[in-house]
Amino acid sequence: MKHLLLISFVILHSSFAIAAERSRILFDTDITGDVDDVLALAMCHTLADRGACEFLGVTVSKNNPLTASFVDAQNTFHGRPDLPVGVTRDAKAQHRESKYLKLADSTDYPHDLKRNEDAKDAVELIRELLMAQPNHSVTIISVGIASNMANLLKSPGGVDLVKQKVKALSIMAGAFAFCNRTNYHLEANVINGIGYMQTVADQWPDEVPIVWSGFEIGEALPFPRVVIQRDLDYLPHHLVKEAYLLHSGPEHDRPCWDESSVLWAVYPERGFFGLSEPGRVKVLDDGFTRFIPVKNGQGSQRDRFLTMNSVQQSRALEAIVHLTIQPPPAK
């Protein structure tokens, strides 16, 4: 009996150790147009501050001359001035103007990295960070066009590197339910780089799970404008607040598309979302994401997409809000 109790204790202790193991996250973003990238990046920092994850670095998948500078400014604002930043060198990746990246030039947000030319190539940085981590330990959060993910797969030994080092890909892309008044929504992260997303959907190794957060999830999680108006005044200049106001203004509840992928990536076991049955996502030539479920146990089981009921909706939005507005560490 004592022997059985000892075995049970060891198993229970091991289970808690596995559950408590910190995620290692790499945040790949197209931080240019929409402001949900800024809020999602704030969440990554807060989660790292809380010890929920180890934050390895940030890579940018769209072209804009201010991306590296802005990301470094936000990393510095959140107390991580030395966090590695990489930018795409792919001339075919979408060029995008921004309403808020100009905050990188403000003296209110000091930082060291001033030019994209001084940042590392995104794929080079991803490879470097992955190779330095234990096997099957890194969750990549991809919340933009898939240029960096596709180019990673195409790099020498890229598929094998992903297979060896990546635990999961949490990606905000596509649509898997009725949303935006249609059953055939063509989501922006896909249609702004269809070829890149097709490469990821077709070539990402079967051994590494992909969890897709569709447009419908973020659409159902409107970030409350009152939070921006009232809860970010603890500093005279708050980068997240200013970016939000420059992009969306004070009277808009911006959907939390990218934030949903961050929340699932770090807390996959906390029930903020449900998961679909397993299957495979096919990206059609027009950019539609078609989910093909497994039939009779046959076929790829690599992909699932997030689902959400009304209770999860309330819990997820509350978590996103609190993880966004938590003050950065005191300087």
Side-chain angles (χ1 to χ4, degrees):
M1 181 65 178
K2 289 182 179 179
H3 181 64
L4 291 174
L5 287 173
L6 178 60
I7 292 174
S8 299
F9 174 79
V10 170
I11 293 173
L12 182 62
H13 185 270
S14 299
S15 299
F16 276 120
I18 292 170
E21 183 180 354
R22 289 198 307 167
S23 302
R24 292 174 170 89
I25 63 169
L26 195 160
F27 186 61
D28 183 62
T29 171
D30 64 351
I31 195 165
T32 47
D34 211 325
V35 76
D36 56 336
D37 300 78
V38 179
L39 276 64
L41 180 52
M43 287 178 63
C44 291
H45 283 286
T46 297
L47 287 160
D49 291 341
R50 293 184 175 194
C53 65
E54 181 179 348
F55 195 2
L56 303 178
V58 182
T59 53
V60 182
S61 58
K62 282 186 181 176
N63 286 302
N64 182 296
L66 287 174
T67 52
S69 184
F70 181 89
V71 169
D72 191 49
Q74 184 167 359
N75 291 343
T76 302
F77 176 80
H78 288 287
R80 290 181 177 79
D82 298 322
L83 191 70
V85 177
V87 298
T88 182
R89 304 279 191 234
D90 186 344
K92 294 182 180 179
Q94 186 186 33
H95 291 255
R96 184 71 185 269
E97 297 301 315
S98 176
K99 295 179 179 179
Y100 59 79
L101 290 184
K102 61 187 178 182
L103 291 171
D105 293 332
S106 171
T107 57
D108 296 323
Y109 306 112
H111 59 287
D112 297 327
L113 184 57
K114 303 295 185 181
R115 307 185 313 151
N116 282 6
E117 291 79 5
D118 297 327
K120 284 195 173 185
D121 170 76
V123 173
E124 177 184 334
L125 178 59
I126 294 171
R127 291 177 59 89
E128 177 184 309
L129 293 172
L130 289 180
M131 286 188 286
Q133 303 306 312
N135 291 346
H136 314 298
S137 67
V138 178
T139 298
I140 298 178
I141 304 166
S142 180
V143 295
I145 66 169
S147 58
N148 290 335
M149 295 298 99
N151 290 330
L152 170 64
L153 293 172
K154 292 178 180 178
S155 67
V159 173
D160 288 336
L161 181 62
V162 169
K163 194 184 302 184
Q164 180 183 5
K165 297 293 185 178
V166 179
K167 180 180 179 181
L169 173 63
S170 178
I171 188 167
M172 193 278 118
F176 304 97
F178 183 88
C179 58
N180 205 25
R181 301 183 297 278
T182 179
N183 279 320
Y184 203 91
H185 179 66
L186 303 180
E187 192 271 322
N189 286 345
V190 182
I191 63 173
N192 288 331
I194 294 173
Y196 298 125
M197 201 66 72
Q198 287 177 325
T199 296
V200 172
D202 294 343
Q203 298 182 24
W204 193 265
D206 262 358
E207 297 86 348
V208 182
I210 302 179
V211 174
W212 303 73
S213 180
F215 182 92
E216 66 276 7
I217 296 296
E219 185 182 42
L221 296 169
F223 195 89
R225 73 194 77 173
V226 68
V227 170
I228 298 297
Q229 295 166 351
R230 298 181 184 176
D231 294 339
L232 296 179
D233 287 334
Y234 51 79
L235 293 174
H237 298 283
H238 198 294
L239 187 146
V240 175
K241 178 177 182 176
E242 290 192 30
Y244 190 102
L245 292 176
L246 284 171
H247 178 270
S248 297
E251 299 301 328
H252 179 63
D253 298 337
R254 194 68 187 152
C256 293
W257 290 297
D258 295 351
E259 298 95 313
S260 63
S261 286
V262 173
L263 188 60
W264 181 85
V266 178
Y267 289 140
E269 305 298 332
R270 294 206 178 182
F272 289 113
F273 306 100
L275 288 175
S276 72
E277 60 185 320
R280 189 69 174 254
V281 170
K282 177 72 174 177
V283 178
L284 306 186
D285 288 341
D286 64 355
F288 183 67
T289 46
R290 174 163 291 154
F291 181 75
I292 304 168
V294 171
K295 291 184 178 179
N296 301 319
Q298 302 296 314
S300 174
Q301 301 186 41
R302 183 195 64 188
D303 298 339
R304 294 175 184 260
F305 59 84
L306 296 183
T307 62
M308 187 170 62
N309 60 36
S310 59
V311 174
Q312 291 168 327
Q313 180 184 23
S314 298
R315 291 185 62 234
L317 186 57
E318 186 73 8
I320 287 169
V321 167
H322 283 286
L323 291 169
T324 302
I325 67 173
Q326 179 171 306
K331 296 180 181 179

